[in-house]
């Protein structure tokens, strides 16, 4: 038995045989093609099939991982329609006599490298990941063909992907995770990666334990292993190795919701009424399907509904009616529970194709979030009208993203008043909901005492707050290499800095008598939940799969609180 220590990205325990994942696992064969015409026909045929396969997989991904998971695959499929990509591959085939597979691999590598020149650009890093994933899918389709004598394409019968067990690779993108059959994928181990990456978020949504910081060892292919996600540990040749090797089933024990058990813990403790349900354990969602998963996990409300999913999943700007229907459905599902809806957080790595935007050298620091909304007041007011109308259906609260100054809040409030006046003139029922802001930059945290009097609540977005505080792109594993090798229980200096900003923000919010919540990956991280409870946070909003763990830690914290005589 051998124990390798990495860093926890998603919780749960998994057992299965190691499958080494190589980024360029699809072989492109000979570099020179038999005939340019035949290779072009092969490439065009493969593009059509790969696009169809990805779109079909996106439908399955939405059913299991929600709308956000499906959108990642849909963006990958769009690459096959990109004129520059298609032209570059065809040029290599025609001018250099490359095989279709070789041309695809070369072009994907070149395009991804160009996008990653600016490593701090979130959007470009995500696009590079999409291109690599699209290229691998294309090469796998191409490797499943053989050319007949007359140049026609035929599918090979042996191109079906086998269940991988525990996938181990240098990096594994969110698209790759979705591409492998979730029922066969028990766990994931990567050499590089962090808990804020799209891959980790998708793995958690699917209930797949994932750890990082362990260098790939190809000699371990086929080795029986066990992942302990919460501990960040990979056990090779565990004591039950024979059982794993002889089993016909991949075993996975993700952290699942057990509301009845956790509720009984609370009932058995004589906790004063004012402590019950504090802080509220809420869910981060992107769709009605996510809301249902959150309810099944015993979420006490929604702390973050990402409304931009409505904008990114369409070829047009959603109408007021479309938005009203989506918001009202979520409010209806959650009944009396709070539903915090973030206004469209577009820009940076979330660029809808229908919205013309100026090219920016660094979109992560450019026109995004509230800045983009204020530049498109008609689009913003349409969303505000839908939110005011939907507020009649439940406890909806509006939250503004990427606020860095009081003037932005005042301008947003003016547009909110305009939306109210418009609905009055149209004689439509509405309710004015509470208005809050996200604290996700160091500037907002440092100025939180000035911002608090202008709003009804704060929500601290830890993903971007970590990124901007540490000056490290949260989607770029290269800048997090030092943390990747840390023990799962350790805390980095950057995390200490973010905790100090969070502590300051909570104090300022409570001084102004407004509630403050935390959303993002840190909110559900077992290393930090008790710290946030001790700081007096009013709510923690996390991915549905983390809710059970959050409720458990809360119950245990209050048990210790009561045993200590109400002092911690």
């Amino acid at each position: 038995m051998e124990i390798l220590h990495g860093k926890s990205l998603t919780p749960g325990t998994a057992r299965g045989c190691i499958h080494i994942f190589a980024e360029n696992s699809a072989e492109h064969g000979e570099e020179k093609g038999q005939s340019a015409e035949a290779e072009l026909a092969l490439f065009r045929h493969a593009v059509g099939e790969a696009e169809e396969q990805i779109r079909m997989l996106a439908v399955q991904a939405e059913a299991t991982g929600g709308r956000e998971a499906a959108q990642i695959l849909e963006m990958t499929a769009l690459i096959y329609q990109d004129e520059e990509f298609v032209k570059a591959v065809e040029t290599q085939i025609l001018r250099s006599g490359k095989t279709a597979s070789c041309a695809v691999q070369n072009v994907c590598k070149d395009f991804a490298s160009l996008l990653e020149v600016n490593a701090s650009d979130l959007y470009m890093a995500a696009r590079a990941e999409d291109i690599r994933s699209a290229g691998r899918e294309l090469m796998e389709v191409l490797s499943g063909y053989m050319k007949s004598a007359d140049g026609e394409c035929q599918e090979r019968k042996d191109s079906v992907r086998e269940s991988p067990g525990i996938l181990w690779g240098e990096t594994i993108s969110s698209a790759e995770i979705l591409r492998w059959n979730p029922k066969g994928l028990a766990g994931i181990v990567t050499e590089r990666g962090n808990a804020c990456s799209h891959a980790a978020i998708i793995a958690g949504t699917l209930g797949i334990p994932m750890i990082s910081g362990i260098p790939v060892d190809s000699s371990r292919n086929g080795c029986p292993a066990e992942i302990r996600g919460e501990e960040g540990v990979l056990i090779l040749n565990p004591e039950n190795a024979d059982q794993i090797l002889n089993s016909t089933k991949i075993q996975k024990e993700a952290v699942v919701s057990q509301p009845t058990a956790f509720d009984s813990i609370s009932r058995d403790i004589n906790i004063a009424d004012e402590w019950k349900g504090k802080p509220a354990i809420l869910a981060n969602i992107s769709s009605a399907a996510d809301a249902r998963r959150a309810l099944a996990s015993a979420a006490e409300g929604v702390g973050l509904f990402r409304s931009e999913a409505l904008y990114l999943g369409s070829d047009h700007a959603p109408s007021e009616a479309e938005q009203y229907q989506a918001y009202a459905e979520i409010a209806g599902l959650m009944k009396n529970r709070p539903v915090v809806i973030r206004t469209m957080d577009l820009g940076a790595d979330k660029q809808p194709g229908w919205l013309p935007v100026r090219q920016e050298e660094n979109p992560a620091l450019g026109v995004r979030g509230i800045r983009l909304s204020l530049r498109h007041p008609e689009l913003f007011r349409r969303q505000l009208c839908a939110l005011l109308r939907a507020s009649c259906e439940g406890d909806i609260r509006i939250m503004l993203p990427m606020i860095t100054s009081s003037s932005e809040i005042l301008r947003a409030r003016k547009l909110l008043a305009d939306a109210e006046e418009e609905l009055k003139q149209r004689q439509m029922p509405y309710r004015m909901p509470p208005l809050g802001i996200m604290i996700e930059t160091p500037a907002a945290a440092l100025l939180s005492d000035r911002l608090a009097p202008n709003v009804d609540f704060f929500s601290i977005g830890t993903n971007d707050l970590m990124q901007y505080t540490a000056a490290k792109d949260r989607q770029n594993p290269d800048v997090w290499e030092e943390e990747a090798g840390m023990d799962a229980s350790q805390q980095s200096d950057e995390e200490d800095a973010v905790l100090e900003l969070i502590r300051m923000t909570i104090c300022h919010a409570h001084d102004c008598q407004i509630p403050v919540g935390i959303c993002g990956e840190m909110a559900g991280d077992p290393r930090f939940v008790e710290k946030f409870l001790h700081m007096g946070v009013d709510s923690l909003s996390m991915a549905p799969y983390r809710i059970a763990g959050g409720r458990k830690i809360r119950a245990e914290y209050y048990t210790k609180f009561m045993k200590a005589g109400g002092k911690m």
Side-chain angles (χ1 to χ4, degrees), residues 54 57 73 76 133-134 137 161 175-181:
I54 287 182
L57 187 54
L73 288 177
T76 302
S133 296
E137 184 69 22
R161 208 190 279 270
E176 258 96 45
I177 294 170
L178 291 166
R179 194 170 287 118
W180 292 84
N181 179 4

Side-chain angles (χ1 to χ4, degrees), residues 336-351:
N336 304 347
R337 300 175 183 88
V339 177
V340 179
I341 299 179
R342 180 174 68 190
T343 58
M344 52 181 182
D345 188 14
L346 300 174
D349 57 337
K350 291 170 280 191
Q351 304 273 13

Side-chain angles (χ1 to χ4, degrees), residues 391-549:
S391 292
C392 295
E393 309 300 325
D395 185 8
I396 285 179
R397 306 168 190 191
I398 299 175
M399 182 164 67
L400 307 174
M402 287 299 295
I403 291 290
T404 56
S405 69
S406 298
S407 63
E408 290 170 335
I409 301 172
L410 297 177
R411 290 169 65 191
R413 280 200 177 277
K414 173 63 169 61
L415 288 171
L416 190 61
D418 291 345
E420 180 183 24
E421 184 61 32
E422 180 181 331
L423 292 176
K424 283 181 181 178
Q425 292 178 6
R426 288 160 54 190
Q427 298 184 335
M428 302 199 75
Y430 74 91
R431 184 183 71 88
M432 183 60 72
L435 179 70
I437 62 171
M438 290 195 76
I439 303 293
E440 46 193 336
T441 66
L446 292 167
L447 296 174
S448 53
D449 57 337
R450 300 187 199 176
L451 301 177
N454 299 305
V455 295
D456 300 307
F457 66 91
F458 283 160
S459 183
I460 302 171
T462 61
N463 293 359
D464 272 323
L465 185 58
M466 172 64 74
Q467 172 176 247
Y468 293 127
T469 301
K472 289 183 177 181
D473 176 359
R474 61 189 176 99
Q475 298 295 341
N476 183 356
D478 291 333
V479 297
W480 294 101
E481 282 184 339
E482 182 181 343
E483 284 72 20
M486 292 172 58
D487 182 86
S489 63
Q490 285 184 292
Q491 196 171 293
S492 69
D493 290 341
E494 288 95 342
E495 288 166 338
D496 284 337
V498 169
L499 286 173
E500 189 58 39
L501 290 173
I502 290 173
R503 186 179 292 105
M504 176 192 303
T505 302
I506 292 172
C507 289
H508 288 159
H510 288 168
D511 285 345
C512 291
Q513 298 183 323
I514 66 168
V516 55
I518 300 175
C519 60
E521 292 307 302
M522 285 181 76
D525 190 327
R527 294 177 301 152
F528 303 114
V529 172
E530 187 169 322
K531 289 182 173 67
F532 295 147
L533 295 175
H534 199 61
M535 291 179 194
V537 70
D538 296 288
S539 66
L540 292 171
S541 190
M542 58 196 72
Y545 74 91
R546 286 196 181 273
I547 286 171

Side-chain angles (χ1 to χ4, degrees), residues 168-171 189-193 211-217 481 484-485:
W168 189 1
E170 183 179 345
T171 59
V189 182
T190 61
E191 187 170 329
R192 300 183 299 165
I211 61 178
S212 70
I214 302 179
V216 180
D217 183 350
E481 282 184 339

Side-chain angles (χ1 to χ4, degrees), residues 63-80:
T64 56
R67 185 64 198 146
E68 189 175 16
Q71 285 172 348
I72 293 169
L73 288 177
E74 289 168 356
M75 288 178 67
T76 302
L78 290 175
I79 292 170
Y80 301 134

